[in-house]
């Protein structure tokens, strides 16, 4: 089994910053892409940013220049640094990772439980 545990969410004022972390643990041979998604009330879950095992990144247009995704492969951890937050960033943020549990197995997609980010105006 693989577990993804997120931390770092909370309440912040407009213009503030937060740093989310997501640590993967359990039966892990390797991790391919890791990503952050978010889901606001009444909206569909959307991709915020992703990062390949080699460090290539991709961002949603709405967060480019404000958010930075990084990862530490030695810790199986992905981070999301969020700056210049606005109320439109309010959502539950979910971590996702494509994990190979054992050598020769397929990659499987795993999700964290989500962490709430609330930005007040």
């Amino acid at each position: 089994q693989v577990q993804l545990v997120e931390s770092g969410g909370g309440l912040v004022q407009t213009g503030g910053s937060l740093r989310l972390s997501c640590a993967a643990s359990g039966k892990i041979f390797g991790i391919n892409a890791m990503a952050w998604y978010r889901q606001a009330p009444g909206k569909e879950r959307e991709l915020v940013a992703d990062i390949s095992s080699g460090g290539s990144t991709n961002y949603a247009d709405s967060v480019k220049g404000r958010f930075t995704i990084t990862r530490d492969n030695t810790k199986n951890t992905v981070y999301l640094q969020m700056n210049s937050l606005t109320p439109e960033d309010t959502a539950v943020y979910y971590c996702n990772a494509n994990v190979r549990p054992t050598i020769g197995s397929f990659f499987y997609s795993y999700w964290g439980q989500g962490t709430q980010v609330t930005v007040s105006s």
Side-chain angles (χ1 to χ4, degrees), residues 4-5 14 16 19 51 58 65 67 72 74 85 97 99 117:
L4 299 182
V5 178
T14 295
R19 187 188 192 217
I51 184 167
N58 176 56
F67 291 11
D72 184 336
T74 66
L85 286 161
V99 178
V117 171

Side-chain angles (χ1 to χ4, degrees), residues 17-111:
S17 298
L18 284 173
R19 187 188 192 217
L20 305 182
S21 300
C22 171
S25 63
K27 197 169 186 179
I28 299 172
F29 177 77
I31 301 178
N32 195 348
M34 303 184 82
W36 287 96
Y37 288 74
R38 68 185 181 186
Q39 187 167 19
K43 295 187 177 181
E44 294 187 353
R45 190 174 297 189
E46 63 175 357
L47 176 68
V48 175
D50 60 37
I51 184 167
S52 71
S53 57
S56 297
T57 59
N58 176 56
Y59 295 93
D61 288 342
S62 59
V63 306
K64 281 181 182 177
R66 300 188 299 122
F67 291 11
T68 302
I69 187 170
T70 58
R71 64 190 285 173
D72 184 336
N73 292 331
T74 66
K75 297 180 179 180
N76 291 333
T77 299
V78 63
Y79 306 95
L80 186 67
Q81 177 66 43
M82 305 185 294
N83 299 328
S84 302
L85 286 161
T86 74
E88 288 68 38
D89 296 314
T90 295
V92 178
Y93 284 71
Y94 297 91
C95 172
N96 174 264
N98 289 323
V99 178
R100 176 178 282 176
T102 60
I103 186 170
S105 73
F106 293 109
F107 282 92
Y108 297 93
S109 180
Y110 293 90
W111 292 89

